[in-house]
Amino acid sequence: MSSTSFFIIFLSFTFVVLLQEVASVDYGAALTKSILYFEAQRSGKLPPSQRVQWRADSALRDGSDVHADLVGGYYDAGDNVKFGFPMAFTITMLAWSVIEFEKQLEAKKELSNALDAVKWGTDYLIKANAQGSLLYAQVGDGDADHACWERPEDMTTPRISYAVDGGHPGSDLAGETSAAFSAAAIAFNKSNPTYSTQLLTHAKLLFEFAKSSQGKYSDSIPIIGKFYKSSDFKDELSWAAAWLHRAMNDQSAIEYLRDEETDRGDVRSSFSWDDKYAGAQVLVAKLILEGYLDESDETWAEYMTNAEAFICNCLGKGDNNIQRTPGGLLWFQPWNNLQYTTAAIFLVQAYSDYYANIQSDFTGCSEPVTTGDMYNFVQSQLDYILGVNPKNMSYMVGFGSNYPQKVHHRGSSIVSIKKDNSQVTCQGGIDNWLKKDAPNPNVLDGAIVGGPDKFDAYLDDRNNYQQAEPATANTAPLVGVLARHAAP
């Protein structure tokens, strides 16, 4: 046999193996775990329906320092702080997942669980906005929390409440929370119209507050800037307007998006908790594709052109393509890269479906792209995240046979309080659990960790927080994408 023939046979065999690996990815199982993850992140009094049994009630006095009820919501990542800005983005993306992929969630019997995940967040956000233009931005002292390693059930760090108001603006926080309320209102419109109406009331109030008292929330509350500093607030204003229009056909919201003073953003390099422009552009482009807005209008054309340029860059068929690892994963930055990947592929999948609905191929790139091409691209990214990659590692905890064991997450890395209710002290947690060279005792099912570096390498080490820490914003966009591929 010639060396050329041998090489061809080897390549063919490798391709077949890869196809078998791809075919074996169970998107339905991953979907179930992705939603389950949010139960592990719950703060407050857990309901009887709680499925993640290694967790228990926690932070039951949140808000008491300001004589308010701020119990509930989600812990952000591997810590025990409730950061309102990324939490609101998480809820928006969960709700958007329900809106776009309701049929698929229903087919996989996960719709009610997804709505429960949304409602756990919006119930808290309603409490955080109990008084008009007062909006609580954070509960917990970030510095004190990050200096300790304790379970949420027996943490001893201060639970300080921080807020924005008319005298201390937070247009970004208010705008994102308004978007979360609008998106959730659409998600609950059929199953709970009364709740939907309540959410819309908050959405409208916060959008007006965001416009009337402009400024960045991290300028009003500098301590927050250490953890989730906002780069701008104009993107959240556009994002909130786009969602308010979609939720209630609000013409003033369209007028705001059309206003020459409104910043439409340029072609974005990412979509995330801090930069919503690409998401707002996609929502406006959807209206153009549906014939609601006129593409010949230069303003609307700008939104659509920028949205499609971002999509093309993700697909590798644009003018400024997103970098990829040697194994093919979209690569944005070293710290928690997968949060950007999951958000990006959500936009690509949603946009692909918008085109499919009008029975047209996508023509915005440097070469023709079919909706099938876009679907396959998203699937390739999903498969990489779920284990079809150079390390054969699933970056969803609990999924597959090889996934991160030493996740940077306080609750999952310390023995459950239900198994051992001995107090875990601040330093004791560091000495006995953070530094422990052993797998986490509790599996954080469905969590998406930060992921591999730009060379596809991953270090499974609890202290490697850049790669090994999961966050709610990582998993939220993936819920919808998984539903779409679990029930195509």
Side-chain angles (χ1 to χ4, degrees):
M1 180 185 295
S2 69
S3 59
T4 301
S5 298
F6 177 81
F7 183 65
I8 292 173
I9 291 172
F10 173 76
L11 284 179
S12 299
F13 174 76
T14 303
F15 182 66
V16 170
V17 170
L18 285 174
L19 281 179
Q20 290 174 339
E21 287 180 333
V22 171
S24 68
V25 175
D26 188 340
Y27 303 121
L31 170 64
T32 295
K33 288 181 181 293
S34 71
I35 299 173
L36 194 64
Y37 162 67
F38 291 94
E39 293 193 16
Q41 293 299 109
R42 284 172 170 171
S43 178
K45 180 74 175 175
L46 301 183
S49 59
Q50 175 77 10
R51 295 176 294 170
V52 178
Q53 287 298 303
W54 52 267
R55 283 295 323 282
D57 299 343
S58 62
L60 299 180
R61 299 190 70 253
D62 277 3
S64 60
D65 62 320
V66 290
H67 308 290
D69 175 8
L70 295 177
V71 175
Y74 289 111
Y75 298 117
D76 168 62
D79 49 31
N80 298 326
V81 182
K82 295 191 303 201
F83 293 104
F85 197 33
M87 190 194 305
F89 176 69
T90 292
I91 300 310
T92 307
M93 295 309 298
L94 280 174
W96 200 358
S97 294
V98 171
I99 294 165
E100 299 294 351
F101 308 112
E102 180 180 22
K103 179 180 68 175
Q104 290 88 350
L105 286 164
E106 183 69 64
K108 302 306 291 186
K109 296 180 171 52
E110 291 293 347
L111 179 58
S112 62
N113 289 325
L115 286 171
D116 285 347
V118 174
K119 193 170 187 295
W120 192 268
T122 50
D123 282 351
Y124 169 77
L125 294 178
I126 287 171
K127 292 180 179 182
N129 181 227
Q131 303 176 42
S133 60
L134 177 69
L135 177 61
Y136 284 95
Q138 177 179 321
V139 179
D141 184 315
D143 287 330
D145 181 271
H146 286 185
C148 287
W149 197 263
E150 298 173 304
R151 296 174 296 210
E153 290 84 0
D154 56 9
M155 60 181 163
T156 57
T157 51
R159 302 298 291 174
I160 303 171
S161 304
Y162 302 89
V164 296
D165 55 30
H168 306 84
S171 300
D172 34 22
L173 176 68
E176 178 55 72
T177 309
S178 173
F181 281 133
S182 290
I186 302 170
F188 282 103
N189 187 47
K190 288 188 291 187
S191 63
N192 194 340
T194 301
Y195 189 62
S196 178
T197 299
Q198 182 184 13
L199 295 171
L200 279 178
T201 298
H202 285 276
K204 289 184 287 186
L205 285 172
L206 286 177
F207 182 52
E208 292 305 318
F209 168 47
K211 289 189 298 179
S212 64
S213 183
Q214 295 193 8
K216 294 190 293 185
Y217 90 120
S218 50
D219 287 342
S220 293
I221 312 171
I223 193 171
I224 288 178
K226 296 182 180 180
F227 307 98
Y228 283 99
K229 186 176 182 179
S230 175
S231 58
D232 195 5
F233 61 81
K234 294 178 182 178
D235 54 321
E236 278 82 22
L237 290 175
S238 296
W239 177 239
W243 274 114
L244 194 61
H245 174 265
R246 186 166 181 180
M248 55 185 303
N249 197 26
D250 188 302
Q251 292 307 301
S252 65
I254 281 292
E255 291 168 7
Y256 177 83
L257 290 167
R258 178 71 178 79
D259 194 297
E260 63 180 17
E261 297 297 321
T262 299
D263 191 341
R264 287 172 270 285
D266 51 12
V267 178
R268 310 313 292 173
S269 59
S270 66
F271 172 53
S272 71
W273 60 266
D274 185 41
D275 189 340
K276 318 296 166 43
Y277 278 122
Q281 291 162 358
V282 163
L283 288 174
V284 172
K286 178 179 185 291
L287 295 174
I288 295 171
L289 291 174
E290 294 171 344
Y292 186 88
L293 298 177
D294 185 0
E295 188 179 1
S296 65
D297 184 303
E298 290 185 5
T299 297
W300 302 132
E302 183 180 353
Y303 279 104
M304 189 169 188
T305 298
N306 291 340
E308 297 197 340
F310 176 75
I311 299 294
C312 293
N313 288 338
C314 289
L315 295 170
K317 300 179 184 298
D319 294 329
N320 190 21
N321 295 331
I322 306 299
Q323 183 180 348
R324 299 194 195 186
T325 68
L329 180 71
L330 289 178
W331 172 256
F332 296 89
Q333 67 166 43
W335 194 313
N336 193 7
N337 177 68
L338 284 182
Q339 68 174 311
Y340 303 97
T341 304
T342 60
I345 63 175
F346 182 99
L347 291 187
V348 175
Q349 186 59 67
Y351 209 64
S352 170
D353 288 348
Y354 297 159
Y355 263 91
N357 288 339
I358 62 171
Q359 298 183 327
S360 173
D361 287 336
F362 182 47
T363 59
C365 296
S366 57
E367 60 185 83
V369 177
T370 68
T371 54
D373 293 335
M374 296 167 79
Y375 181 93
N376 291 337
F377 161 75
V378 172
Q379 183 170 299
S380 73
Q381 297 298 299
L382 264 186
D383 290 343
Y384 185 109
I385 293 169
L386 296 176
V388 185
N389 56 59
K391 288 188 69 68
N392 294 314
M393 171 173 276
S394 166
Y395 294 106
M396 173 182 279
V397 179
F399 183 83
S401 58
N402 181 29
Y403 55 82
Q405 301 290 316
K406 302 170 187 176
V407 183
H408 183 91
H409 186 276
R410 286 159 177 76
S412 68
S413 70
I414 301 173
V415 63
S416 170
I417 197 168
K418 294 182 178 180
K419 289 188 176 180
D420 184 351
N421 63 4
S422 302
Q423 176 75 36
V424 176
T425 64
C426 175
Q427 189 60 43
I430 294 173
D431 295 338
N432 300 323
W433 297 103
L434 174 61
K435 296 179 180 179
K436 190 173 185 177
D437 187 19
N440 288 4
N442 310 301
V443 179
L444 191 64
D445 282 317
I448 299 295
V449 297
D453 66 18
K454 64 181 179 180
F455 302 110
D456 299 302
Y458 180 83
L459 177 63
D460 190 13
D461 185 325
R462 205 168 289 115
N463 283 292
N464 179 21
Y465 45 82
Q466 284 196 342
Q467 290 185 295
E469 184 172 17
T472 58
N474 298 20
T475 300
L478 208 63
V479 169
V481 178
L482 284 168
R484 178 66 174 82
H485 287 255

